[in-house]
Amino acid sequence: METPPHKTASAGEAQIPLWQSIQNDLMDRIRRDEFDESFPGEFALADEYSVSRATIRTALGPLRRAGLISAQRGRPSALVNVKDEQRFGPVYSLFAAVENAGMTQRSEVETADLRTSPAAAARLGLDPAERLVYISRTRYADEETIAVDKVWLPASKAAAVLDADLTHTALYSVLSQLCNITLSGGSETLHAITTDADQSQQLSCPVGTAAFFIERVGLALGEPVEWRETLIRGDRFTVTTSYPPVVSAVQQR
């Protein structure tokens, strides 16, 4: 079996399909900014990895569907919006949006443990008794509360997250570094609401403040790996959508 030249397969990876091994290697190279100037074509990658063009197409398919690599007929592939914190909508980009606005993003973790939740397990397509990583955080822009969120992850894949310091880092970066999980897509529903008394207390704002309630399922290679519920202040956060990327912004007051 051929092995990508940039990666030595370990015993635990022996059953990984060749295309997936190549895809994982390409993701590692993207994260190392190897393709900042240009992204190689299918023929060049097939030659580099000593595999067929069909194998390369299979490896690139999920990256193209996730919007990470462009896929336009008659044009060479190119990286699109590769920075993790900017790729998947308002929750995903919150950390970077706060920092890019010239403020410091800080998280206060209220809960980080293993537990069961039949409702969250259902969202992840898991058995109701499956153990999950549960993280509850309050998030700040400088010293002002901007959001509270609750995240459930499969413990079988993401238990290492519990050892991480989430005070000043993006959860998705931790998932990538500690668990080898890189989100490649997902779906989310954004509800426009006004805060009730409990929500206002959580967000440190007056009752009736405009807010967003966001529900998200995050996918890695097509499999659900994250269920997230986020309550975010609408007077501190705006959502600007463009195509294909999705960009979010924090209002600096």
Side-chain angles (χ1 to χ4, degrees):
M1 177 176 172
E2 300 156 318
T3 302
H6 296 275
K7 181 178 180 180
T8 301
S10 66
E13 295 176 321
Q15 301 304 313
I16 294 179
L18 180 57
W19 69 265
Q20 187 172 332
S21 181
I22 292 171
Q23 182 188 103
N24 292 344
D25 186 61
L26 287 171
M27 284 300 303
D28 287 341
R29 296 172 69 185
I30 288 170
R31 284 192 288 265
R32 294 197 301 268
D33 299 325
E34 262 189 57
F35 304 122
D36 269 4
E37 305 229 348
S38 64
F39 191 83
E42 292 178 359
F43 285 111
L45 288 171
D47 183 62
E48 179 178 356
Y49 285 100
S50 301
V51 297
S52 68
R53 188 181 178 194
T55 299
I56 293 298
R57 282 183 169 175
T58 303
L60 295 179
L63 305 183
R64 286 169 171 160
R65 290 191 293 273
L68 186 62
I69 297 174
S70 65
Q72 296 180 325
R73 186 179 296 275
R75 295 186 180 183
S77 295
L79 290 185
V80 177
N81 203 26
V82 299
K83 296 304 181 184
D84 283 353
E85 290 80 9
Q86 296 293 337
R87 282 175 42 208
F88 296 113
V91 176
Y92 195 41
S93 62
L94 181 58
F95 179 90
V98 171
E99 300 276 313
N100 290 341
M103 296 177 281
T104 300
Q105 198 279 164
R106 176 175 64 85
S107 293
E108 184 176 303
V109 178
E110 282 88 25
T111 307
D113 60 22
L114 293 175
R115 60 177 63 187
T116 58
S117 169
R123 298 284 190 168
L124 294 169
L126 301 174
D127 185 275
E130 186 87 13
R131 288 173 67 77
L132 305 174
V133 172
Y134 172 70
I135 299 171
S136 174
R137 296 181 293 171
T138 299
R139 306 180 69 174
Y140 300 86
D142 287 338
E143 293 306 312
E144 290 192 84
T145 305
I146 188 171
V148 292
D149 66 10
K150 300 175 181 179
V151 181
W152 292 262
L153 310 159
S156 59
K157 299 179 179 179
V161 168
L162 294 174
D163 297 325
D165 181 359
L166 298 176
T167 303
H168 183 71
T169 188
L171 175 61
Y172 295 136
S173 295
V174 173
L175 281 171
S176 177
Q177 294 165 8
L178 298 185
C179 307
N180 197 29
I181 295 174
T182 299
L183 267 73
S184 56
S187 62
E188 66 181 20
T189 302
L190 186 151
H191 308 270
I193 66 170
T194 55
T195 58
D196 59 23
D198 181 58
Q199 292 165 337
S200 296
Q201 182 177 11
Q202 293 179 64
L203 291 175
S204 302
C205 63
V207 173
T209 297
F212 296 117
F213 178 65
I214 303 170
E215 301 173 295
R216 159 171 294 196
V217 175
L219 307 177
L221 299 177
E223 296 291 330
V225 293
E226 174 205 36
W227 169 245
R228 183 190 294 251
E229 297 176 344
T230 299
L231 183 66
I232 186 168
R233 287 185 63 163
D235 61 340
R236 293 287 186 271
F237 189 80
T238 60
V239 180
T240 303
T241 303
S242 58
Y243 299 93
V246 180
V247 180
S248 308
V250 174
Q251 297 176 337
Q252 187 170 13
R253 296 171 63 88

Coordinates of all heavy atoms in Angstrom, one line a residue, residues 178-249:
L178 N -5.2 18.6 19.8 CA -5.2 17.5 20.7 C -5.9 16.3 20.3 O -5.6 15.2 20.7 CB -5.8 18.0 22.1 CG -5.1 19.1 22.8 CD1 -5.7 19.4 24.2 CD2 -3.6 18.8 23.0
C179 N -6.9 16.4 19.4 CA -7.8 15.3 19.1 C -7.8 15.0 17.6 O -8.5 14.0 17.2 CB -9.3 15.6 19.5 SG -9.5 16.1 21.2
N180 N -7.0 15.7 16.8 CA -6.9 15.5 15.4 C -8.3 15.6 14.7 O -8.6 14.8 13.8 CB -6.2 14.1 15.0 CG -5.8 14.1 13.6 OD1 -5.4 15.1 13.0 ND2 -5.7 12.9 13.0
I181 N -9.1 16.5 15.2 CA -10.4 16.7 14.7 C -10.5 18.1 14.0 O -10.2 19.1 14.7 CB -11.5 16.6 15.7 CG1 -11.6 15.2 16.3 CG2 -12.9 17.1 15.2 CD1 -12.6 15.1 17.5
T182 N -10.7 18.2 12.7 CA -10.8 19.5 12.0 C -12.2 19.5 11.4 O -12.6 18.7 10.6 CB -9.8 19.6 10.9 OG1 -8.5 19.5 11.5 CG2 -9.9 20.9 10.2
L183 N -13.0 20.5 11.9 CA -14.3 20.6 11.4 C -14.3 21.0 9.9 O -13.6 21.9 9.4 CB -15.1 21.7 12.1 CG -15.9 21.1 13.3 CD1 -15.0 20.8 14.4 CD2 -17.0 22.1 13.7
S184 N -15.1 20.2 9.1 CA -15.1 20.4 7.6 C -16.5 20.9 7.2 O -16.7 21.0 6.0 CB -14.7 19.1 6.9 OG -15.6 18.1 7.3
G185 N -17.4 21.2 8.1 CA -18.7 21.7 7.7 C -19.6 21.6 8.9 O -19.2 21.4 10.0
G186 N -20.9 21.8 8.6 CA -21.9 21.8 9.7 C -23.1 22.6 9.3 O -23.3 23.0 8.2
S187 N -24.0 22.7 10.2 CA -25.3 23.5 10.0 C -25.6 24.2 11.3 O -25.3 23.7 12.4 CB -26.4 22.6 9.6 OG -26.7 21.6 10.6
E188 N -26.2 25.3 11.2 CA -26.6 26.1 12.3 C -27.9 26.8 12.1 O -28.2 27.2 10.9 CB -25.5 27.0 12.8 CG -25.2 28.2 11.9 CD -24.1 29.0 12.4 OE1 -23.3 28.6 13.3 OE2 -24.0 30.2 11.9
T189 N -28.6 27.0 13.2 CA -29.9 27.8 13.1 C -29.7 29.0 14.0 O -29.3 28.9 15.2 CB -31.1 27.0 13.6 OG1 -31.2 25.9 12.7 CG2 -32.3 27.8 13.5
L190 N -29.9 30.2 13.5 CA -29.8 31.4 14.3 C -31.1 32.0 14.6 O -31.9 32.3 13.6 CB -28.9 32.4 13.5 CG -28.5 33.7 14.2 CD1 -27.1 34.2 13.7 CD2 -29.5 34.8 14.0
H191 N -31.5 32.2 15.9 CA -32.8 32.7 16.3 C -32.5 34.1 16.8 O -31.7 34.3 17.7 CB -33.4 31.9 17.4 CG -33.5 30.4 17.0 ND1 -34.6 29.9 16.4 CD2 -32.6 29.4 17.3 CE1 -34.4 28.6 16.3 NE2 -33.2 28.3 16.8
A192 N -33.3 35.1 16.3 CA -33.2 36.5 16.9 C -34.2 36.5 18.1 O -35.4 36.2 17.9 CB -33.6 37.5 15.8
I193 N -33.7 36.9 19.3 CA -34.6 36.9 20.4 C -34.3 38.2 21.2 O -33.4 39.0 20.9 CB -34.3 35.7 21.4 CG1 -32.9 35.8 21.9 CG2 -34.5 34.4 20.6 CD1 -32.6 34.8 23.0
T194 N -35.2 38.4 22.3 CA -34.9 39.4 23.3 C -34.7 38.7 24.6 O -35.4 37.7 24.8 CB -36.0 40.5 23.4 OG1 -37.2 39.8 23.6 CG2 -36.0 41.3 22.1
T195 N -33.8 39.1 25.4 CA -33.4 38.3 26.6 C -34.5 38.4 27.7 O -35.1 39.4 27.9 CB -32.1 38.8 27.2 OG1 -32.2 40.2 27.5 CG2 -31.0 38.6 26.2
D196 N -34.7 37.2 28.3 CA -35.5 37.2 29.5 C -34.6 37.4 30.7 O -33.4 37.7 30.6 CB -36.3 35.9 29.6 CG -35.4 34.6 29.7 OD1 -34.2 34.8 30.1 OD2 -35.8 33.5 29.4
A197 N -35.2 37.3 31.9 CA -34.5 37.7 33.1 C -33.2 36.8 33.3 O -32.1 37.3 33.7 CB -35.4 37.6 34.4
D198 N -33.4 35.5 33.1 CA -32.3 34.5 33.3 C -31.2 34.8 32.2 O -30.0 34.8 32.6 CB -32.8 33.1 33.2 CG -31.7 32.1 33.4 OD1 -31.0 32.1 34.4 OD2 -31.4 31.3 32.5
Q199 N -31.6 35.0 31.0 CA -30.6 35.2 29.9 C -29.9 36.6 30.1 O -28.7 36.7 29.9 CB -31.3 35.2 28.6 CG -31.8 33.8 28.2 CD -32.8 33.9 27.0 OE1 -33.5 34.9 26.8 NE2 -33.0 32.8 26.3
S200 N -30.6 37.5 30.6 CA -30.0 38.9 30.9 C -29.0 38.8 32.0 O -27.9 39.4 31.9 CB -31.1 39.9 31.3 OG -32.0 40.1 30.2
Q201 N -29.2 37.9 33.0 CA -28.3 37.8 34.1 C -27.0 37.1 33.5 O -25.9 37.5 33.9 CB -28.9 36.9 35.2 CG -27.9 36.7 36.4 CD -28.6 36.0 37.5 OE1 -29.6 35.4 37.4 NE2 -27.9 36.0 38.6
Q202 N -27.2 36.1 32.6 CA -26.0 35.4 32.1 C -25.2 36.3 31.2 O -23.9 36.2 31.2 CB -26.5 34.2 31.2 CG -27.2 33.1 32.0 CD -27.6 32.0 31.0 OE1 -26.8 31.4 30.4 NE2 -28.9 31.8 30.9
L203 N -25.8 37.2 30.5 CA -25.1 38.1 29.6 C -24.8 39.5 30.2 O -24.2 40.3 29.5 CB -25.9 38.3 28.3 CG -26.1 37.1 27.4 CD1 -27.0 37.4 26.2 CD2 -24.7 36.6 26.8
S204 N -25.2 39.7 31.4 CA -24.9 41.0 32.1 C -25.5 42.1 31.3 O -24.8 43.1 31.0 CB -23.4 41.2 32.3 OG -22.9 40.1 33.1
C205 N -26.8 42.0 30.9 CA -27.4 43.1 30.1 C -28.8 43.3 30.6 O -29.4 42.4 31.3 CB -27.4 42.7 28.6 SG -28.3 41.2 28.2
P206 N -29.5 44.4 30.2 CA -30.9 44.6 30.7 C -31.8 43.6 30.1 O -31.6 43.1 29.0 CB -31.2 46.0 30.2 CG -29.8 46.6 29.9 CD -28.9 45.5 29.5
V207 N -32.9 43.3 30.8 CA -34.0 42.5 30.2 C -34.5 43.1 28.9 O -34.7 44.3 28.8 CB -35.1 42.3 31.2 CG1 -36.3 41.5 30.6 CG2 -34.6 41.5 32.4
G208 N -34.7 42.3 27.9 CA -35.2 42.8 26.6 C -34.1 43.2 25.7 O -34.4 43.6 24.6
T209 N -32.8 42.9 26.0 CA -31.8 43.2 25.1 C -31.8 42.3 23.9 O -32.1 41.1 24.0 CB -30.4 43.1 25.8 OG1 -30.3 44.0 26.8 CG2 -29.2 43.3 24.8
A210 N -31.5 42.8 22.7 CA -31.5 42.0 21.5 C -30.4 40.9 21.6 O -29.3 41.3 22.0 CB -31.3 42.8 20.3
A211 N -30.6 39.7 21.2 CA -29.6 38.7 21.3 C -29.9 37.7 20.2 O -30.9 37.6 19.5 CB -29.7 38.0 22.6
F212 N -28.8 36.8 19.9 CA -29.0 35.7 19.0 C -28.9 34.4 19.9 O -28.0 34.3 20.7 CB -27.8 35.7 18.0 CG -27.8 36.8 17.0 CD1 -26.8 37.7 17.0 CD2 -28.9 37.1 16.2 CE1 -26.7 38.8 16.2 CE2 -28.9 38.1 15.3 CZ -27.8 39.0 15.3
F213 N -29.7 33.5 19.5 CA -29.6 32.1 20.1 C -29.2 31.2 18.9 O -30.0 31.1 18.0 CB -30.8 31.6 20.8 CG -30.7 30.2 21.3 CD1 -29.8 29.9 22.3 CD2 -31.5 29.2 20.8 CE1 -29.7 28.7 22.8 CE2 -31.3 27.9 21.3 CZ -30.4 27.6 22.3
I214 N -28.0 30.6 19.0 CA -27.5 29.8 17.9 C -27.4 28.4 18.2 O -26.8 28.0 19.3 CB -26.1 30.4 17.4 CG1 -26.3 31.8 17.1 CG2 -25.6 29.6 16.2 CD1 -24.9 32.5 16.9
E215 N -27.9 27.5 17.4 CA -27.8 26.0 17.6 C -27.0 25.5 16.4 O -27.2 25.8 15.3 CB -29.2 25.4 17.5 CG -30.1 25.9 18.6 CD -31.5 25.3 18.5 OE1 -32.2 25.6 17.5 OE2 -31.9 24.5 19.3
R216 N -26.0 24.7 16.7 CA -25.1 24.2 15.7 C -24.7 22.8 15.9 O -24.5 22.3 17.0 CB -23.8 25.1 15.8 CG -22.6 24.4 15.1 CD -21.4 25.3 15.0 NE -21.7 26.4 14.1 CZ -20.8 27.2 13.6 NH1 -19.5 27.0 13.9 NH2 -21.1 28.1 12.8
V217 N -24.6 22.1 14.7 CA -24.0 20.8 14.6 C -22.8 20.9 13.8 O -22.8 21.4 12.6 CB -25.0 19.7 14.0 CG1 -24.2 18.4 13.8 CG2 -26.2 19.5 14.8
G218 N -21.6 20.6 14.3 CA -20.3 20.7 13.6 C -20.0 19.3 13.1 O -20.1 18.3 13.8
L219 N -19.5 19.2 11.8 CA -19.1 17.9 11.2 C -17.6 17.9 10.9 O -17.0 18.9 10.6 CB -19.9 17.8 9.9 CG -21.4 17.9 9.9 CD1 -21.9 17.8 8.4 CD2 -22.0 16.9 10.8
A220 N -17.1 16.7 11.1 CA -15.7 16.4 10.6 C -15.8 15.2 9.7 O -16.2 14.1 10.2 CB -14.8 16.1 11.8
L221 N -15.4 15.3 8.5 CA -15.4 14.3 7.5 C -16.9 13.7 7.4 O -17.0 12.5 7.3 CB -14.4 13.2 7.8 CG -12.9 13.6 7.7 CD1 -12.0 12.5 8.1 CD2 -12.6 14.1 6.4
G222 N -17.8 14.6 7.5 CA -19.2 14.1 7.4 C -19.9 13.6 8.6 O -21.1 13.3 8.6
E223 N -19.1 13.4 9.7 CA -19.7 12.9 10.9 C -19.9 14.0 12.0 O -19.0 14.8 12.2 CB -18.7 11.8 11.5 CG -18.4 10.6 10.7 CD -19.7 9.7 10.6 OE1 -20.4 9.7 11.6 OE2 -19.9 9.1 9.5
P224 N -21.1 14.0 12.7 CA -21.3 15.0 13.7 C -20.3 14.8 14.9 O -20.2 13.7 15.4 CB -22.7 14.7 14.2 CG -23.3 13.9 13.1 CD -22.2 13.1 12.5
V225 N -19.6 15.9 15.3 CA -18.7 15.8 16.4 C -18.9 16.9 17.4 O -18.3 16.9 18.4 CB -17.2 15.9 15.9 CG1 -16.8 14.7 15.0 CG2 -17.0 17.2 15.1
E226 N -19.9 17.8 17.1 CA -20.1 18.9 18.1 C -21.6 19.3 18.0 O -22.2 19.4 16.9 CB -19.3 20.1 17.7 CG -19.6 21.3 18.5 CD -19.3 22.6 17.8 OE1 -19.4 22.7 16.6 OE2 -18.8 23.6 18.5
W227 N -22.2 19.4 19.2 CA -23.5 20.1 19.3 C -23.3 21.3 20.2 O -22.7 21.1 21.3 CB -24.5 19.1 19.9 CG -25.8 19.8 20.3 CD1 -26.3 19.9 21.6 CD2 -26.7 20.5 19.5 NE1 -27.5 20.7 21.6 CE2 -27.8 21.0 20.3 CE3 -26.8 20.8 18.1 CZ2 -28.8 21.8 19.8 CZ3 -27.8 21.5 17.6 CH2 -28.9 22.0 18.4
R228 N -23.7 22.4 19.8 CA -23.4 23.7 20.5 C -24.6 24.5 20.6 O -25.4 24.7 19.6 CB -22.3 24.5 19.8 CG -21.8 25.7 20.6 CD -20.9 26.6 19.7 NE -19.6 25.9 19.5 CZ -18.5 26.3 20.0 NH1 -18.5 27.3 20.8 NH2 -17.4 25.7 19.7
E229 N -24.8 25.1 21.7 CA -25.9 26.2 21.9 C -25.2 27.4 22.4 O -24.5 27.4 23.4 CB -26.9 25.7 22.9 CG -27.7 24.5 22.5 CD -28.7 24.0 23.5 OE1 -28.5 24.4 24.7 OE2 -29.6 23.2 23.2
T230 N -25.4 28.5 21.7 CA -24.7 29.8 22.1 C -25.7 30.9 22.2 O -26.6 31.1 21.3 CB -23.6 30.1 21.0 OG1 -22.7 29.1 21.0 CG2 -23.0 31.5 21.4
L231 N -25.7 31.6 23.3 CA -26.4 32.9 23.4 C -25.5 34.0 23.3 O -24.5 34.1 24.1 CB -27.1 32.8 24.8 CG -28.1 34.0 25.1 CD1 -29.3 34.0 24.2 CD2 -28.5 33.9 26.6
I232 N -25.7 34.9 22.4 CA -24.8 36.0 22.1 C -25.5 37.3 22.0 O -26.6 37.4 21.5 CB -24.0 35.7 20.8 CG1 -22.9 36.7 20.6 CG2 -24.9 35.6 19.6 CD1 -21.9 36.3 19.5
R233 N -24.9 38.4 22.6 CA -25.5 39.7 22.6 C -25.6 40.3 21.3 O -24.6 40.5 20.6 CB -24.7 40.6 23.6 CG -24.9 40.3 25.0 CD -24.2 41.3 25.9 NE -24.7 42.6 25.8 CZ -24.5 43.6 26.7 NH1 -23.8 43.3 27.8 NH2 -25.0 44.8 26.5
G234 N -26.8 40.7 20.9 CA -27.0 41.3 19.6 C -26.5 42.7 19.5 O -26.3 43.3 18.4
D235 N -26.4 43.4 20.6 CA -25.9 44.8 20.6 C -24.4 44.8 20.6 O -23.8 45.9 20.6 CB -26.4 45.5 21.8 CG -26.0 44.9 23.2 OD1 -25.7 43.8 23.2 OD2 -26.1 45.7 24.2
R236 N -23.7 43.7 20.7 CA -22.2 43.6 20.6 C -21.7 42.9 19.4 O -20.6 42.9 19.1 CB -21.7 42.9 21.9 CG -21.9 43.6 23.2 CD -21.1 44.8 23.3 NE -21.2 45.5 24.6 CZ -22.1 46.4 24.9 NH1 -22.9 46.8 24.0 NH2 -22.1 46.9 26.1
F237 N -22.6 42.2 18.7 CA -22.2 41.3 17.6 C -23.1 41.5 16.4 O -24.3 41.6 16.5 CB -22.4 39.9 18.1 CG -21.7 38.8 17.2 CD1 -20.4 38.6 17.3 CD2 -22.5 38.1 16.4 CE1 -19.8 37.6 16.5 CE2 -22.0 37.1 15.6 CZ -20.6 36.8 15.6
T238 N -22.5 41.6 15.2 CA -23.2 41.6 14.0 C -22.8 40.5 13.1 O -21.6 40.0 13.2 CB -23.0 43.0 13.2 OG1 -21.6 43.1 12.9 CG2 -23.4 44.2 14.1
V239 N -23.6 40.1 12.2 CA -23.3 39.0 11.3 C -23.4 39.5 9.9 O -24.4 40.1 9.5 CB -24.4 37.8 11.4 CG1 -24.0 36.7 10.5 CG2 -24.4 37.3 12.9
T240 N -22.3 39.4 9.2 CA -22.2 39.8 7.8 C -21.9 38.6 6.9 O -20.9 37.9 7.2 CB -21.1 40.8 7.5 OG1 -21.4 42.0 8.4 CG2 -21.1 41.3 6.1
T241 N -22.8 38.3 5.9 CA -22.6 37.1 5.1 C -22.2 37.4 3.7 O -22.8 38.3 3.1 CB -23.9 36.3 5.1 OG1 -24.3 36.0 6.4 CG2 -23.7 35.0 4.3
S242 N -21.2 36.7 3.2 CA -20.8 36.8 1.8 C -20.6 35.4 1.3 O -20.6 34.5 2.0 CB -19.5 37.7 1.7 OG -18.4 37.1 2.4
Y243 N -20.5 35.3 0.0 CA -20.4 34.0 -0.6 C -19.1 33.9 -1.4 O -18.8 34.7 -2.2 CB -21.6 33.7 -1.5 CG -22.9 33.8 -0.7 CD1 -23.6 35.0 -0.6 CD2 -23.4 32.7 0.0 CE1 -24.8 35.1 0.2 CE2 -24.5 32.7 0.7 CZ -25.2 33.9 0.8 OH -26.4 34.0 1.6
P244 N -18.3 32.7 -1.3 CA -18.6 31.6 -0.4 C -18.3 31.7 1.0 O -18.9 31.0 1.8 CB -17.8 30.5 -1.0 CG -16.6 31.2 -1.6 CD -17.1 32.5 -2.1
P245 N -17.4 32.6 1.5 CA -17.1 32.6 2.9 C -18.2 33.3 3.7 O -19.0 34.0 3.2 CB -15.8 33.5 3.0 CG -15.3 33.7 1.6 CD -16.5 33.6 0.7
V246 N -18.2 33.0 5.0 CA -19.1 33.7 6.0 C -18.2 34.4 6.9 O -17.3 33.9 7.5 CB -19.9 32.6 6.8 CG1 -20.8 33.4 7.7 CG2 -20.8 31.8 5.8
V247 N -18.5 35.7 7.1 CA -17.7 36.6 7.9 C -18.5 37.2 9.0 O -19.6 37.6 8.8 CB -17.0 37.7 7.1 CG1 -16.2 38.6 7.9 CG2 -16.2 37.1 5.9
S248 N -18.0 37.2 10.2 CA -18.7 37.8 11.4 C -17.9 39.0 12.0 O -16.6 39.0 11.8 CB -18.9 36.7 12.4 OG -19.5 35.6 11.9
A249 N -18.5 39.8 12.7 CA -17.8 41.0 13.3 C -18.4 41.3 14.7 O -19.5 41.1 14.9 CB -18.0 42.2 12.4

